[in-house]
Amino acid sequence: CPLLGYAVEKKMAKGKVGEKVGLPCCHEIPSTESLRNYRVYWQKNTTEVVLAYAEGKKISENERYKNRTELNMTNLTLWISPVEILDNGPYQCVVQHLKVLQNSVAPRIVCDEPVTLFITADFSEPNITAEVRTSSCESDEVVVRCSSHGGFPKPKISGALNNESVVWNATWVSEAGISPYNVTGNLRLNVTEDTSLTCSIEYNGFAKSTSLLLKKRSDCVLPTIPPSYNVITASSIIIIVFLLAVTLAARFLPRHGKYTSFFKKQS
C-alpha cells in the first residue's frame, strides 16, 4: 500500500462536464505481476459497482457508465469520459490480490480507499439589468438584477459597489440535488452619482464576473419657484403707475393739439 501522505493526496479528483477525468486508485501493480493476479472493483457510494475486473478480464460494467469508462492496467486509475453532473460524488477503489493456495484462490485485500469526484459545470456570464423605480434631482432609486444559469455546483453570488462589497438578495433554482443551478441576485440602490457595480458568480474554485456603470440621470429640471410677495407688490405698483401715466397723457395730448390750431388761426 502507498504511504499515508500519498494516499491522502489522491483522495480527490476534479473535472468539468464533458471532460475526461481520472480517479486514482490506492494500489499500483508491480512490474513483476499483471492484472491477472488481481480483482479490481470501482464502486460509487460503496454499493454501486461502476467497473470490475477479475483475473485480467472485465466482469462488470454499470449501464450508466457503459462506453464511458476505462481502466489503466497498471495503476488502476478509473477514467471516465465524458463526465456528467451525475458522476459527482464518492467512489471506492477496492483491490484484491489473488494468491493460489493448494489449487484454491484466496483473495487478500491490498487496497480499499475512497476518492471523491467533484464535477463542475460552467455558469453563463452574469447578466445585469437595472430599472429606475423613482427619480429626483438628488438620487435615483434603482432595482438591479444579476442572473446566471446552467452551472454546477451551487454557486455563491457576490458583488462590489464602487469597490465596496455588497450583499445580494439571492435565490437558487435546481430541479434536483445533482442538476444544473440557476441563480438570481437582487439589489435596491439609491444612486446619487455615477456608480460602478460588479456581480460575480463563484463555484468550485471558478468565478465569472460582469460589471455595469449606473449613470445618474442628468436631465433633471428644477421646479419653477414662484415670486415672493414683495416682488409681486412692487410689480403691481409699477404697472398701476404706468397705466395712470398713459391715461393722463392721452387726455392731455389732444387738448394740447386743439389749442395749437386755435392760435395758428388767430395769427
Side-chain angles (χ1 to χ4, degrees):
C1 289
L3 296 176
L4 178 61
Y6 184 63
V8 171
E9 182 183 350
K10 296 174 66 175
K11 284 186 178 180
M12 184 176 66
K14 292 183 178 181
K16 287 187 177 182
V17 169
E19 292 182 345
K20 183 176 183 178
V21 179
L23 301 181
C25 188
C26 47
H27 183 76
E28 185 170 337
I29 297 177
S31 58
T32 56
E33 295 186 291
S34 70
L35 191 61
R36 290 191 298 272
N37 302 113
Y38 292 85
R39 289 179 185 164
V40 180
Y41 299 92
W42 268 104
Q43 303 172 161
K44 186 181 182 188
N45 300 320
T46 69
T47 57
E48 180 183 0
V49 176
V50 177
L51 187 65
Y53 274 77
E55 300 178 358
K57 297 179 180 181
K58 184 191 297 185
I59 60 173
S60 177
E61 183 178 25
N62 189 289
E63 188 66 27
R64 202 180 69 77
Y65 291 86
K66 193 171 183 179
N67 300 323
R68 293 197 301 124
T69 58
E70 178 186 347
L71 184 71
N72 184 292
M73 301 301 177
T74 302
N75 60 23
L76 308 180
T77 295
L78 175 67
W79 289 96
I80 305 176
S81 176
V83 291
E84 305 170 354
I85 290 180
L86 287 175
D87 297 334
N88 190 79
Y91 290 76
Q92 196 93 358
C93 182
V94 181
V95 182
Q96 297 176 339
H97 187 267
L98 303 179
K99 187 176 181 180
V100 178
L101 293 174
Q102 296 179 349
N103 297 326
S104 65
V105 179
R108 177 176 61 90
I109 296 178
V110 295
C111 170
D112 182 358
E113 282 192 1
V115 179
T116 301
L117 175 59
F118 293 98
I119 296 298
T120 299
D122 281 335
F123 280 83
S124 64
E125 292 292 335
N127 180 48
I128 305 179
T129 59
E131 178 186 355
V132 178
R133 292 292 178 89
T134 60
S135 181
S136 67
C137 290
E138 290 77 24
S139 66
D140 294 333
E141 184 182 351
V142 182
V143 174
V144 182
R145 182 175 182 268
C146 177
S147 61
S148 181
H149 62 272
F152 188 86
K154 183 178 180 180
K156 294 180 180 179
I157 180 170
S158 61
L161 193 66
N162 286 342
N163 297 321
E164 296 289 337
S165 63
V166 293
V167 178
W168 294 85
N169 181 17
T171 56
W172 297 265
V173 177
S174 178
E175 293 182 1
I178 304 181
S179 64
Y181 281 88
N182 298 334
V183 60
T184 301
N186 292 282
L187 282 178
R188 188 179 292 270
L189 305 172
N190 276 329
V191 178
T192 58
E193 59 183 357
D194 291 355
T195 303
S196 175
L197 175 67
T198 299
C199 176
S200 299
I201 307 296
E202 302 171 14
Y203 55 103
N204 205 15
F206 299 93
K208 288 191 174 184
S209 299
T210 300
S211 297
L212 178 68
L213 179 62
L214 302 173
K215 295 185 71 66
K216 177 69 178 69
R217 292 179 62 181
S218 59
D219 57 347
C220 179
V221 178
L222 292 173
T224 303
I225 301 176
S228 65
Y229 174 78
N230 291 334
V231 172
I232 295 174
T233 303
S235 300
S236 300
I237 293 173
I238 292 172
I239 293 172
I240 292 171
V241 171
F242 175 76
L243 292 176
L244 287 173
V246 171
T247 303
L248 292 175
R251 290 181 178 179
F252 171 75
L253 288 177
R255 292 179 181 179
H256 183 266
K258 185 187 296 183
Y259 296 152
T260 304
S261 301
F262 173 76
F263 288 124
K264 283 184 179 181
K265 288 179 182 181
Q266 292 296 326
S267 60

